[in-house]
Amino acid sequence: MPALSHEAPGRLKLGRPVAIIDIGSNSVRLVAYEGLSRAVTPIYNEKVLCGLGRHVATTGRLDEGAVDRALRALARFRVLCDTMNVSDIFVLATAAARDASNGPAFLEAAAKACGQPISLLSGAEEARASALGVIAGFHDPDGIVGDMGGGSLELVDVRGSQVGQGVTMPLGGLALLDVSGGSLKKAQKIVREALERAPEYLENLHGRTFYAVGGTWRALAKLHQAAHDYPLHVMHGYILDPEDGLDFLHLVEEADSKTLKDIETISEARRPLLAYGAMVLEEIIRLGEPKEVAISAFGVREGVLFDKLDAQTRERDPLIAAASDLNLLRSRSPRHGEELCGWTEAFIRSLGLPETDDDIRLRRAACLLADIGWRAHPDYRGEQSLNLIAYGAFAGLDHPGRAYLALSIFFRHEGLSPDKVSSRIKTLAGPRLIERARLLAALMRVAYPVSVAMEGVLPQVPLLARGSQVVLQLPAHLEPLANERLKGRMRGLGKLLNMETLVEIV
């Protein structure tokens, strides 16, 4: 577990920040991260839509106006990195600089502007970095990663931590807009012909997950959420059902973008690319028949950082890593959260309640997050905790899992009645996870009056299911803790399980 930093209040002791500057075909972006870790957390994120890749497919050159905008952005990013005391800056360039005849001259000027050497990624390197980004952002991924930028589309197979051979195709949004002359019908023909030349990727996609990486596909997902009045405006881990997705994507291709709900949340520079992004994704769904499309906020940038971690750190669960960091930053006694994991596990085993591997990791994460809202006003700790967790920057977590974590800590503070929380987040979790969240919250509501969130107490007070009873064992020196408040919390747990309760002095 990383220690807290005394040099940067509110931050983990991970050394100085690190940054990625990504010179893409559509945007030039700076993302500075708190440090190099398994759960990277951005401390600053800025992009400039320069459009470097516009017209490269037909002219073979980077537009001079786009080059000027990019160089000015890079000079600004250099100053920002100096201000944030960034230790390492990794500068990447992709399809536009790779394909343009004046790309080498631009990269030389760009290196001077940002004061750093620039890594020009090949198509294969870009595909691998995107795949590593998905590995960094999803728990045990299995499917095809598709990274659609302004100039190119990369496809690569990923299974757990294994990355297959990638392929790159000139199917970026700007490239399609350029070579098709703005004709969607012509662009569709280009897309189909290109995808048919890479049959192994689409054949291997059947029945698996398609991980959609790239700003255009994230923008489409945002519009899809708006169209369905989706309750959680978080892109990473958002799932599109392929059948419903095809109807929506076809609508985006056919409709005037001005008529789409929440279109004002999409930058004007990206709106012309939406139809091309929808077309590429529609063809991938039709030809590859994935079981689902998962939107990934993790891509090349996160993949590059993930590749720089040691092997042991790469193997850590990203959800548990992020929950551990928040536990350290926000809990009264971080070790208590770890003890709560073991204390609840012992009870669930004694109860004989089956847990899947995913159940276990979600429960562990919830225990680590159980005390992060303690600084809020007591009347709002449940609400504050729910918001922090539901909208937190977590990786390795799907949306039902987010809802479970948020509900567990909400019920811990607000009581076990499901009527106290919005029906929208309950719908997201589903009946099974709601009941799991209520049970875990009931256990927490017993643990905290005994331990007062301090380490070293829970190992002394085991809670066990014994026959038809739930038994809390207190050593004699802790007998004064067995007051009516604690017994009331025990009765609440017993009512949930339809069992008698007993506080036993041993």
Side-chain angles (χ1 to χ4, degrees), residues 151-187:
S152 63
L153 168 72
E154 282 72 41
L155 297 176
V156 58
D157 196 299
V158 60
R159 297 174 188 265
S161 61
Q162 302 302 309
V163 177
Q165 187 70 35
V167 64
T168 186
M169 292 173 277
L171 299 182
L174 288 174
L176 286 172
L177 177 64
D178 193 8
V179 298
S180 69
S183 167
L184 290 175
K185 187 173 181 180
K186 184 177 179 181

Side-chain angles (χ1 to χ4, degrees), residues 72-393:
R72 282 188 278 114
L74 291 170
R76 170 179 166 78
F77 292 168
R78 179 179 185 173
V79 175
L80 292 175
C81 287
D82 288 342
T83 303
M84 290 182 285
N85 195 28
V86 170
S87 63
D88 295 302
I89 306 171
F90 307 101
V91 190
L92 319 171
T94 52
R98 190 168 64 227
D99 298 337
S101 61
N102 57 341
F106 164 71
L107 290 176
E108 183 177 350
K112 291 179 181 178
C114 66
Q116 298 291 329
I118 297 175
S119 298
L120 178 62
L121 302 184
S122 68
E125 290 170 333
E126 192 174 353
R128 179 177 180 273
S130 295
L132 290 177
V134 167
I135 291 170
F138 288 84
H139 179 61
D140 198 23
D142 178 35
I144 300 294
V145 177
D147 185 351
M148 184 182 180
S152 63
L153 168 72
E154 282 72 41
L155 297 176
V156 58
D157 196 299
V158 60
R159 297 174 188 265
S161 61
Q162 302 302 309
V163 177
Q165 187 70 35
V167 64
T168 186
M169 292 173 277
L171 299 182
L174 288 174
L176 286 172
L177 177 64
D178 193 8
V179 298
S180 69
S183 167
L184 290 175
K185 187 173 181 180
K186 184 177 179 181
Q188 186 177 54
K189 183 173 184 292
I190 294 169
V191 171
R192 286 180 176 173
E193 289 176 352
L195 290 176
E196 286 170 357
R197 290 195 294 271
E200 67 275 16
Y201 292 93
L202 298 180
E203 289 171 2
N204 290 338
L205 177 57
H206 183 76
R208 300 166 72 203
T209 299
F210 181 72
Y211 297 95
V213 178
T216 298
W217 282 340
R218 287 195 298 272
L220 287 170
K222 182 182 290 188
L223 296 177
H224 187 267
Q225 287 185 341
H228 290 75
D229 196 26
Y230 191 74
L232 188 62
H233 296 170
V234 173
M235 287 301 106
H236 188 70
Y238 181 60
I239 300 295
L240 279 78
D241 175 79
E243 185 173 342
D244 173 65
L246 284 174
D247 292 337
F248 174 75
L249 294 170
H250 187 69
L251 173 66
V252 173
E253 294 168 44
E254 297 293 326
D256 182 343
S257 66
K258 295 177 182 177
T259 66
L260 297 172
K261 186 177 179 181
D262 275 11
I263 188 63
E264 67 278 0
T265 64
I266 309 301
S267 67
E268 291 189 11
R270 194 175 294 282
R271 292 178 199 176
L273 306 181
L274 292 174
Y276 296 93
M279 177 186 302
V280 173
L281 187 53
E282 181 179 355
E283 290 302 318
I284 288 172
I285 291 173
R286 289 189 188 282
L287 295 171
E289 298 182 334
K291 69 174 182 180
E292 63 186 11
V293 175
I295 303 299
S296 176
F298 285 55
V300 169
R301 294 181 293 274
E302 292 76 17
V304 167
L305 294 181
F306 181 80
D307 202 28
K308 297 183 181 301
L309 298 172
D310 60 75
Q312 184 177 0
T313 303
R314 285 199 299 268
E315 290 174 1
R316 291 190 68 196
D317 185 321
L319 171 61
I320 301 303
S324 297
D325 289 348
L326 270 177
N327 178 41
L328 185 61
L329 284 168
R330 290 180 173 268
S331 298
R332 284 170 283 189
S333 174
R335 189 67 62 189
H336 178 270
E338 297 176 6
E339 292 176 352
L340 189 61
C341 296
W343 190 79
T344 56
E345 180 176 1
F347 175 77
I348 287 173
R349 284 184 177 177
S350 72
L351 187 64
L353 180 66
E355 282 190 306
T356 65
D357 289 344
D358 206 44
D359 290 334
I360 293 170
R361 64 190 293 271
L362 286 175
R363 177 176 52 76
R364 288 183 61 204
C367 290
L368 293 169
L369 297 171
D371 201 38
I372 64 172
W374 74 272
R375 287 186 182 274
H377 186 282
D379 292 347
Y380 296 98
R381 284 175 184 162
E383 182 180 336
Q384 290 270 24
S385 298
L386 185 146
N387 288 331
L388 280 170
I389 295 168
Y391 306 114

